[in-house]
């Protein structure tokens, strides 16, 4: 090994995104708007062939790379919408607009560790199934059974945090058919089980 082994002969990947740029990230059939953060981009990838960027939507942070642009991250909403519709049209998806809630039961508490309001709910749907979210799960749809409600009421938060019954307006999310779980029929885009 000599000094020439340490000299970088390839150019850095190009900078394609700049602070403040709007980026539409597609997860399955859902689209989220993010903005590129002020942080400096960085070189990444196994051979340093890619560039990463920190993005935020004001609630959460994410990372996109040059390789994501045009596949799951888009600079134009219309292109993101086309990608999302392509997924929805080829998978088993229940659109949020098609979820009809008849009755909602919700509980909430303020988490001591970070002063965050935590909410858990189950909603009876017009087809008899339950649309629910436990305190620490993704939203999901299950069969409306006594077992499902008992499981909901046995969350550890009911023992340790003393949540109270609250009024809650639930805005459903797109639901994707679950694979690899016995109870959940559908779940939201961020959950690995929901592949449609």
């Amino acid at each position: 090994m000599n000094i020439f082994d340490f000299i970088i002969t390839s150019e850095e990947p190009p900078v394609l995104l700049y602070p403040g740029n709007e980026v539409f990230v597609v997860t399955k059939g859902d689209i989220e708007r993010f903005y590129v953060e002020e942080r400096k981009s960085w070189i990444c990838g196994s051979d340093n062939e890619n560039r990463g960027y920190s993005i935020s939507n004001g609630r959460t942070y994410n990372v996109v790379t040059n390789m994501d642009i045009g596949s799951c991250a888009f600079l134009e909403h219309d292109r993101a919408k086309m990608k999302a519709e392509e997924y929805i049209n080829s998978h088993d998806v229940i659109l949020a607009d098609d979820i009809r809630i008849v009755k909602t039961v919700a509980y909430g508490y303020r988490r001591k560790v970070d002063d965050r309001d935590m909410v858990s709910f189950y909603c009876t749907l017009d087809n008899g199934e339950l649309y629910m979210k436990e305190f620490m799960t993704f939203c999901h749809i299950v069969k409306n059974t006594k077992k499902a409600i008992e499981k909901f009421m046995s969350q550890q938060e009911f023992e340790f945090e003393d949540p109270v019954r609250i009024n809650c307006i639930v805005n459903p999310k797109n639901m994707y058919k679950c694979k690899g779980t016995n109870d959940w029929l559908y779940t939201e885009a961020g959950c690995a089980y929901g592949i449609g």
Side-chain angles (χ1 to χ4, degrees):
M1 188 176 278
N2 61 43
I3 189 75
F4 295 105
D5 292 326
F6 294 101
I7 296 175
I8 298 174
T9 58
S10 64
E11 292 184 26
E12 288 187 0
V15 175
L16 301 179
L17 297 175
Y18 296 92
N21 282 153
E22 191 174 50
V23 179
F24 299 95
V25 176
V26 178
T27 304
K28 297 175 180 138
D30 288 13
I31 303 169
E32 267 191 278
R33 178 186 312 210
F34 288 87
Y35 293 92
V36 177
E37 291 282 294
E38 290 294 327
R39 298 179 200 172
K40 186 175 168 138
S41 64
W42 61 92
I43 297 170
C44 56
S46 58
D47 293 325
N48 294 327
E49 76 285 2
N50 208 352
R51 182 174 291 279
Y53 310 86
S54 180
I55 58 176
S56 172
N57 62 10
R59 298 178 324 275
T60 59
Y61 292 91
N62 205 338
V63 171
V64 294
T65 67
N66 284 359
M67 294 173 100
D68 293 329
I69 298 171
S71 64
C72 65
F74 300 86
L75 304 179
E76 303 88 20
H77 186 267
D78 288 346
R79 289 188 181 215
K81 188 174 179 183
M82 285 176 25
K83 182 72 171 183
E85 287 174 352
E86 182 181 299
Y87 189 95
I88 288 170
N89 292 333
S90 62
H91 290 80
D92 189 352
V93 180
I94 301 172
L95 297 177
D97 290 342
D98 295 332
I99 296 174
R100 306 275 187 265
I101 295 173
V102 176
K103 178 184 171 190
T104 300
V105 175
Y107 292 87
Y109 72 93
R110 181 157 295 194
R111 193 163 62 186
K112 294 176 188 101
V113 69
D114 59 2
D115 210 30
R116 179 177 168 195
D117 288 327
M118 302 297 290
V119 175
S120 182
F121 57 81
Y122 65 88
C123 306
T124 306
L125 302 180
D126 64 349
N127 66 1
E129 295 175 337
L130 294 176
Y131 178 87
M132 64 189 333
K133 181 192 179 309
E134 292 147 331
F135 288 108
M136 301 303 287
T137 67
F138 288 100
C139 292
H140 56 281
I141 293 176
V142 297
K143 290 182 179 176
N144 186 353
T145 64
K146 184 178 175 184
K147 177 184 169 191
I149 294 172
E150 285 173 356
K151 183 178 176 195
F152 176 90
M153 295 304 296
S154 69
Q155 295 175 78
Q156 70 179 6
E157 287 82 359
F158 284 105
E159 182 178 349
F160 299 110
E161 299 293 343
D162 198 29
V164 295
R165 184 98 180 246
I166 60 172
N167 289 323
C168 179
I169 296 173
V170 174
N171 296 311
K173 300 178 179 184
N174 290 339
M175 292 280 108
Y176 300 85
K177 181 76 173 170
C178 285
K179 306 283 188 204
T181 177
N182 293 330
D183 297 336
W184 294 13
L185 304 173
Y186 290 82
T187 188
E188 63 183 282
C191 181
Y193 291 137
I195 59 174

